Amino acid sequence: MVTTIRDVARACGVSIATVSRALAGSTIVAAGTRERVRQAAAELGYQPNRAARQLVTGRGQSIALVLPDLQNSFYSSVAKGMQRRVRAAGLSAMIADTDEDPDAEREVLDQLSAVVDRLILASPRVSDGDLTDLAQRCAVVLINRELPGLASVVGNNADGIRQSVTHLLALGHRRIGYAGGPSTSWSDSRRRAGLAALALPDGQEIVDLGAFRASQAGGVAAADLAIAAGVSAVVAFNDQLALGVLGRLAERGVAVPEAMSVVGFDDVPVARLLAPPLTTVAVPTIEIGERAAGLLIDAAPQDSPLPQIVLEVELQVRRSSAPPPG
Amino acid sequence: MVTTIRDVARACGVSIATVSRALAGSTIVAAGTRERVRQAAAELGYQPNRAARQLVTGRGQSIALVLPDLQNSFYSSVAKGMQRRVRAAGLSAMIADTDEDPDAEREVLDQLSAVVDRLILASPRVSDGDLTDLAQRCAVVLINRELPGLASVVGNNADGIRQSVTHLLALGHRRIGYAGGPSTSWSDSRRRAGLAALALPDGQEIVDLGAFRASQAGGVAAADLAIAAGVSAVVAFNDQLALGVLGRLAERGVAVPEAMSVVGFDDVPVARLLAPPLTTVAVPTIEIGERAAGLLIDAAPQDSPLPQIVLEVELQVRRSSAPPPG
DNA sequence: AACCGCTCCACAAACGTTTACATCCAGTTG
DNA sequence: CAACTGGATGTAAACGTTTGTGGAGCGGTT
């Protein structure tokens, strides 16, 4: 039999109410009693029953993270940071993978919002409307997306793109291709906005290679388009895409970085292991997860402005970028 | 206000007990009533409160997975499979990352075993004793470890090693180095056992390069030892280690596969993206996660023999292995 | 001596379910 | 016709906690 609050109460001759309050650290119970109760609880190995607690408080003991793909190391890092922070707060972390499928995401959201009252959504695919609906029922924090009225944590997309392009321009590139992510991606739209905001000197231009799935397969298509467009450098929406670009360029005999420079985004762990190591924008993924969880744990007072956190990113120059040929 | 079982009961003029039974599909309630209740519940958007249910049934609604590192794609794949299966069963998946730290693992286990009654442990570091203790309190399934009396799901380690070595021998290698994993690793001990069981023809030998942390850093050390030992091929404990070996060999100007062959284990997604693509043993990671969860969901009758599932693995020959020089 | 105010604690209600047991009614049997 | 049977439903207890309300004890003031 597992020890309940009643056992603790009996053990130190007080009522269960006192035990509850003592363990909660309420100052209303005398310091001596509090200590005595703590002692007894520790000795008996008492663990409060979460279900019972949740039933009465209404507040859940877990925070859920919904992400499109655990195999993508961007998201697994976010998950790592998130669960670390959540666990440190004595709560439990739930994680759901939607397999990049918007329908699956809907379903997961329905299911999860009934179980959990605090949700972190990484790169949600659902509509703004569904999102605000959801926020009625749960506390929600968005990752990689911003929406007025909702808390969010994102990397500084525009600045990351600016760093990439500036780097390439400095190397002497004049025609740079942008291999975009899915058109539904909020991050992609921000990165495009960043591109548009850049004041390019005369004779230098950014070529839009199109929108691609953020996968290696997408990168293959992008690489061919880059060659056809005659650019000397490609800025990819993210590292996954860049990986595909790199692979395809190798296949087609285009030397990187001699004939073509490639820059990614995210700095997934593999990026530095590739041949050549990938120049890419480092995003503090673990910190994103931690901050998102933090927002839900240190529950802000109701009417305070919802935090929209933007974390700074930093270009990691490696060997996949170099001056253009000639 | 969220709709409770009482609302449903009122809506169709029955008692809450009937609603509970109807929704559970109990045949004791008349088919007509059952349908009427279902209808009403659906219309009202009724979602049973899990905390309340858990409180009375004692059975938890979630299954937890404990793993050493979410950033390692072996584990994130296992997590993917696990949570997929768990969610399909209408339960929720919790995931905890121990950062490869045995102390953290202990702590996590303590914490989690109080919250959850079904646990999946991937590559647990804790002692056999602690593990059997834990199994008293929770249903436990082990991944990458076997223990008499506990359910487990593992890849066929010995056979994977056999495939690797056979492949290298067939290519003509005569001195092959084994870069082992941590000595506390159950998988490593199985792989070593697999090595020992191999009947090597005369003039061919396996050199034990030692035990290394399953990280890139470990691989660096292993690579230097391999060169010193004069082997023409290295079989690494896993892909992480192989990555380090590959990197270090490149640094030291040893051409792979011309001067040295390298074989990994796990077939993480990056393996095929490396230069050269890594020959490695493919382990069905997602399936491992699914099967482990399945064992806990399709709860076997108490006294049936505990399943110890061994999944087959398959060598993927890529470009990092080739005939030895000369 | 009566009263007040304070601190510390106990009592009991509530949270939303599941489930053992009681009840009721209609139909069947002796 | 009374007693019984058994299927369908209702009643109420229990799960382990949190928390509002009230009361005991006590030192100090009038």
Side-chain angles (χ1 to χ4, degrees), chain B residues 256-272:
Chain B
V256 175
E258 293 77 9
M260 180 89 78
S261 289
V262 177
V263 179
F265 209 111
D266 285 351
D267 194 19
V268 299
V270 250
R272 75 183 62 204

Side-chain angles (χ1 to χ4, degrees), chain A residues 49-61 117, chain B residues 1 4 6 48-56:
Chain A
N49 179 315
R50 326 256 293 205
R53 171 180 293 174
Q54 175 168 351
L55 187 56
V56 53
T57 61
R59 181 117 232 220
Q61 305 300 305
D117 55 8
Chain B
M1 192 49 201
T4 79
R6 247 171 278 274
N49 179 318
R50 326 251 295 204
R53 170 178 297 176
Q54 175 168 351
L55 186 56
V56 55

Side-chain angles (χ1 to χ4, degrees), chain A residues 50 55 69-71 76-77 80 83-84 87 92-97 99 108 111 115 216 270 273 275, chain B residues 50 55 69-71 76-77 80 83-84 87 92-97 99 108 111 115 216 270 273 275:
Chain A
R50 326 256 293 205
L55 187 56
D69 182 15
L70 260 172
Q71 283 182 306
S76 58
S77 298
K80 187 175 183 109
Q83 64 88 41
R84 178 185 294 170
R87 199 143 41 71
S92 359
M94 297 191 168
I95 294 180
D97 178 320
D99 281 323
V108 166
Q111 195 176 321
V115 180
Q216 278 182 254
V270 250
L273 301 175
Chain B
R50 326 251 295 204
L55 186 56
D69 182 14
L70 259 173
Q71 283 183 307
S76 59
S77 298
K80 189 177 181 108
Q83 64 89 41
R84 180 185 293 171
R87 199 144 40 71
S92 345
M94 295 192 171
I95 294 178
D97 178 321
D99 281 323
V108 166
Q111 195 174 321
V115 179
Q216 278 182 255
V270 250
L273 301 174

